[in-house]
Amino acid sequence: MNRPILCFGEALIDFHAEGTGAAGFPRAFVPFAGGAPANVAVAVARLGGAARFAGMLARDPFGDFLLDSLQRAGVGVADVARTDEANTALAFVSLDARGERSFNFYRPPSADLLFRPQHFRAQAFDDIGVFHVCSNSMTDPDLAETTREGMRRAQAAGALVSFDLNLRPALWPRESNPRPSVWPALHLADVVKLCAEEFAWLAEDGALLTRLWRGRTRLLVVTDGPRPLRWFRRDASGEVPCPQVAAVDTTAAGDAFVGGLLYRLAALGHATAFEALLREDAALEGMLAFAAACGALTVTRQGSFTAMPSAADVDAFLHERLP
């Protein structure tokens, strides 16, 4: 059995717009369970992997809904903490004609921002193969340090650490520069995932790859929607084509991609196998093609948790595209 993947950070409610009234405003917003690291945990579980979520949920109806949604998706919740001190974060999602999403967040103050190192279970890191985080848990200084502490504890336990930048500028304090907060996390990660816009944003300071390789990172993956993804390791790089599909909702595409990648990484079983993978371009690109298929399938469905494919879905999807 694969070692569990522990995803840390926010779980929130994504309200998706439905219908359009006479004045052009949505007729209704329908709630879906979401939040980037929670989405990744669900993606892993739907594929048949062992996944747990760690984060702070409010003791409100939305927090109850999120906890129930995680459990129904097969995600372990032993590492979830609850609080009465804040409510659940909300995100209102609008989609354009191509399925591209935009967000309006109602977050600070919210429950997910209140998680601290003492809320990690003493045994949380003992059995995991991968620990995954994103920058949404770095918008608050105390939570950012908690995130980095989790990364350090995971490394001490021998787990791989995954970081998806997943930058949402609207979540950061106005006029703030996220770079000083995200670079220490980038240097703590073994695997880093960026989208093309994030790659360009980090490269504005120059020598992105040189700076990244100064830390622990051994694999960087850069996605670019339906265009080929790029991968980089310290001594090589390459591209993998992405499946072409008609997008309905791109909300959780990146999270599905990460979930597919981590699911396959966890199957390696130990760190030495990861090192061997990095020396096998064909195996690495096969893993990335699987992750890309997870992302492509997800954009053909609405929602976040509800859009994640099963392993059978992905296998059938890939088989249909064999020459």
Side-chain angles (χ1 to χ4, degrees):
M1 182 175 177
N2 298 345
R3 296 175 69 189
I5 296 166
L6 180 60
C7 300
F8 171 71
E10 88 280 4
L12 50 76
I13 303 297
D14 286 331
F15 281 98
H16 287 246
E18 282 201 357
T20 304
F25 298 108
R27 286 186 177 274
F29 284 91
V30 179
F32 289 85
N39 291 339
V40 172
V42 170
V44 172
R46 285 275 166 78
L47 290 169
R52 299 203 306 267
F53 175 74
M56 185 73 75
L57 298 183
R59 295 189 184 277
D60 63 11
F62 288 136
D64 295 341
F65 173 66
L66 289 168
L67 187 67
D68 180 70
S69 297
L70 287 164
Q71 292 174 308
R72 288 178 181 273
V75 175
V77 296
D79 299 288
V80 170
R82 304 294 297 270
T83 183
D84 296 308
E85 296 181 14
N87 291 327
T88 300
L90 309 177
F92 288 82
V93 184
S94 299
L95 302 174
D96 65 17
R98 295 176 294 120
E100 290 293 336
R101 75 282 187 273
S102 59
F103 298 95
N104 286 290
F105 292 101
Y106 291 76
R107 193 187 188 201
S110 61
D112 63 288
L113 297 172
L114 301 181
F115 198 101
R116 297 293 179 265
Q118 65 267 25
H119 295 126
F120 284 120
R121 283 190 310 128
Q123 303 82 18
F125 300 93
D126 290 353
D127 63 340
I128 64 171
V130 182
F131 182 65
H132 173 71
V133 300
C134 74
S135 71
N136 294 345
S137 60
M138 295 178 176
T139 60
D140 170 86
D142 291 332
L143 185 57
E145 178 51 34
T146 300
T147 304
R148 293 188 291 267
E149 175 62 19
M151 298 170 86
R152 291 189 288 264
R153 291 188 191 184
Q155 287 168 354
L160 291 174
V161 173
S162 163
F163 181 67
D164 177 8
L165 181 54
N166 195 44
L167 187 67
R168 299 286 180 263
L171 291 176
W172 292 79
R174 192 169 298 177
E175 309 299 332
S176 68
N177 179 6
R179 289 184 182 87
S181 294
V182 303
W183 265 110
L186 287 164
H187 282 152
L188 286 169
D190 299 289
V191 179
V192 171
K193 183 263 182 188
L194 306 173
C195 70
E197 293 83 0
E198 292 163 348
F199 185 90
W201 177 74
L202 286 171
E204 289 175 6
D205 291 337
L208 166 58
L209 292 176
T210 299
R211 185 174 181 182
L212 188 64
W213 301 144
R214 291 174 188 157
R216 291 180 56 94
T217 306
R218 287 167 284 172
L219 175 64
L220 167 65
V221 182
V222 181
T223 60
D224 193 12
R227 290 166 287 280
L229 65 86
R230 292 175 287 164
W231 60 264
F232 302 85
R233 60 174 191 254
R234 299 185 183 213
D235 62 345
S237 62
E239 288 190 351
V240 175
C242 291
Q244 302 301 297
V245 296
V248 171
D249 181 354
T250 63
T251 303
D255 302 326
F257 175 90
V258 173
L261 177 59
L262 299 188
Y263 168 75
R264 294 289 295 270
L265 284 175
L268 296 175
H270 49 80
T272 54
F274 177 61
E275 295 295 341
L277 171 73
L278 294 179
R279 296 190 293 270
E280 297 287 341
D281 290 0
L284 174 60
E285 292 187 348
M287 182 177 293
L288 293 173
F290 178 87
C294 292
L297 269 171
T298 299
V299 306
T300 66
R301 306 165 177 179
Q302 189 177 19
S304 298
F305 287 15
T306 55
M308 299 300 175
S310 68
D313 293 336
V314 179
D315 289 343
F317 181 78
L318 290 171
H319 182 74
E320 289 172 1
R321 282 157 175 75
L322 289 174

